[in-house]
Amino acid sequence: MKAGLTRVLATGTFDLLHPGHLMYLEQSRALGDELVVIVARDANVKHKPRPIIPQDQRLLMVSALEMVDRAILGSESDMFSPIEELKPEIITLGYDQHFDAILLKEELATRGIDAQVVRLEGHDPCPLCSSRVIVAKVLEERCPKRDRSGAKD
Amino acid sequence: MKAGLTRVLATGTFDLLHPGHLMYLEQSRALGDELVVIVARDANVKHKPRPIIPQDQRLLMVSALEMVDRAILGSESDMFSPIEELKPEIITLGYDQHFDAILLKEELATRGIDAQVVRLEGHDPCPLCSSRVIVAKVLEERCPKRDRSGAKD
């Protein structure tokens, strides 16, 4: 990274890409000069149903977006190690991401990472701006209704 | 379009974006200097199950790809009218698109559109490189198995 340029880091699962992802990444990119994205590995998605799209495909799709300069998979064992390497000036959190910005900032400080943590607020209302809602629409249209009681969200 | 530059036109539904779409669009872009994409309207998708993602969202997602210079929705009534306006030098067909290249070329000629029609062959083997297969995976994982006999593909 050239001196004086601001590297922004965004993170997420990015399953079934939708405009909510685009908005998060556009807002992130607008905060600096370069946007690097860490895409969560399948094994590390534990707080919601496992992704429909496998990690390598999710990485390919995020890499193809115009506002993304570079995307990489997260670390299998230590989510902070790629952040230590990338040395971003800014780390963005989406409005619905489950990290606590203050705890994250504290952990970064103990690692000597001096990054600003920015929680992005607001998002376009969009009927299918959520991977969960896209999955629900597939089930609504293609999974026979009377038999869907066992479907997870 | 500036003189001497080659405009390439790609078309498709682009439901649930996947790397097969990326490959088609990258190959298309590589044939010229500018890539314009016509995204099919919901009402005009008749040869396969209706899209999961509505047309405006599909358009947004295609527009966000780095190899796409511009994307527009197709015409409601006449698929050739945007082609007449755009005057592409090259129109690409994906390896699995249902158009007949020769019939298409004939119809273009009767409209006075002098575009080369290129059928792109070959594609990366990719387990989820198809909107239909992504839908099938959602059903496989989230729609109870014994009850899926009535699910459409």
Side-chain angles (χ1 to χ4, degrees):
Chain A
M1 193 87 212
K2 279 190 214 161
L5 295 188
T6 301
R7 173 176 285 168
V8 182
L9 175 67
T11 63
T13 307
F14 303 102
D15 196 25
L16 298 167
L17 273 188
H18 54 70
H21 294 132
L22 300 185
M23 174 155 286
Y24 166 52
L25 295 173
E26 274 162 11
Q27 288 180 326
S28 299
R29 177 66 183 74
L31 295 176
D33 305 296
E34 184 198 37
L35 177 62
V36 182
V37 182
I38 297 182
V39 174
R41 287 181 186 270
D42 295 338
N44 291 341
V45 179
K46 291 171 181 162
H47 60 287
K48 54 185 177 184
R50 67 176 172 177
I52 297 295
I53 307 295
Q55 63 192 28
D56 291 339
Q57 184 159 329
R58 291 185 282 108
L59 179 65
L60 264 179
M61 299 311 294
V62 170
S63 301
L65 297 174
E66 62 182 351
M67 73 293 268
V68 174
D69 294 290
R70 187 152 59 102
I72 58 172
L73 287 177
S75 161
E76 287 190 52
S77 53
D78 176 11
M79 65 170 272
F80 289 92
S81 71
I83 306 179
E84 283 176 327
E85 266 181 53
L86 291 166
K87 298 183 179 44
E89 276 75 27
I90 297 173
I91 300 174
T92 57
L93 301 178
Y95 78 97
D96 61 346
Q97 279 183 314
H98 69 296
F99 291 115
D100 180 310
I102 294 170
L103 290 180
L104 177 61
K105 185 81 190 162
E106 285 174 6
E107 178 64 24
L108 290 168
T110 67
R111 305 269 191 140
I113 303 170
D114 180 27
Q116 190 186 345
V117 177
V118 177
R119 167 77 67 181
L120 299 173
E121 301 293 346
H123 63 111
D124 249 353
C126 157
L128 290 179
C129 273
S130 146
S131 310
R132 185 183 56 74
V133 174
I134 293 172
V135 166
K137 180 152 192 259
V138 171
L139 295 177
E140 177 70 29
E141 296 192 357
R142 311 283 170 88
C143 182
K145 209 155 194 167
R146 67 188 183 285
D147 305 321
R148 236 180 312 128
S149 56
K152 296 177 286 185
D153 82 343
Chain B
M1 193 88 212
K2 280 190 215 161
L5 295 187
T6 300
R7 173 175 285 166
V8 183
L9 175 67
T11 64
T13 307
F14 303 103
D15 197 24
L16 299 167
L17 274 187
H18 55 70
H21 294 133
L22 300 184
M23 173 156 288
Y24 166 51
L25 294 173
E26 275 162 11
Q27 288 180 325
S28 299
R29 177 65 183 76
L31 295 176
D33 305 296
E34 183 196 41
L35 176 61
V36 182
V37 182
I38 296 181
V39 175
R41 287 182 186 270
D42 295 339
N44 291 341
V45 179
K46 291 170 180 161
H47 60 288
K48 55 186 177 183
R50 66 177 172 178
I52 298 296
I53 307 296
Q55 62 192 30
D56 291 340
Q57 184 158 328
R58 291 185 282 109
L59 179 65
L60 265 178
M61 299 311 294
V62 170
S63 301
L65 297 174
E66 63 183 351
M67 74 292 269
V68 174
D69 294 290
R70 187 153 59 103
I72 58 172
L73 287 177
S75 161
E76 287 191 53
S77 54
D78 176 11
M79 65 170 273
F80 289 92
S81 70
I83 306 179
E84 283 176 326
E85 267 180 54
L86 291 166
K87 297 185 180 44
E89 276 74 29
I90 297 172
I91 299 174
T92 56
L93 300 178
Y95 78 97
D96 61 346
Q97 280 182 315
H98 68 297
F99 291 115
D100 180 309
I102 294 170
L103 290 179
L104 177 61
K105 184 81 189 163
E106 284 175 4
E107 179 63 25
L108 291 169
T110 67
R111 306 265 192 144
I113 303 170
D114 181 28
Q116 190 185 347
V117 177
V118 177
R119 168 76 68 181
L120 299 173
E121 302 292 345
H123 62 110
D124 249 354
C126 158
L128 289 180
C129 273
S130 146
S131 309
R132 186 183 56 75
V133 173
I134 293 172
V135 166
K137 182 155 191 257
V138 172
L139 295 176
E140 178 69 30
E141 296 192 358
R142 310 283 169 88
C143 180
K145 210 157 194 166
R146 66 187 182 286
D147 304 322
R148 236 181 313 127
S149 54
K152 295 176 286 184
D153 82 342

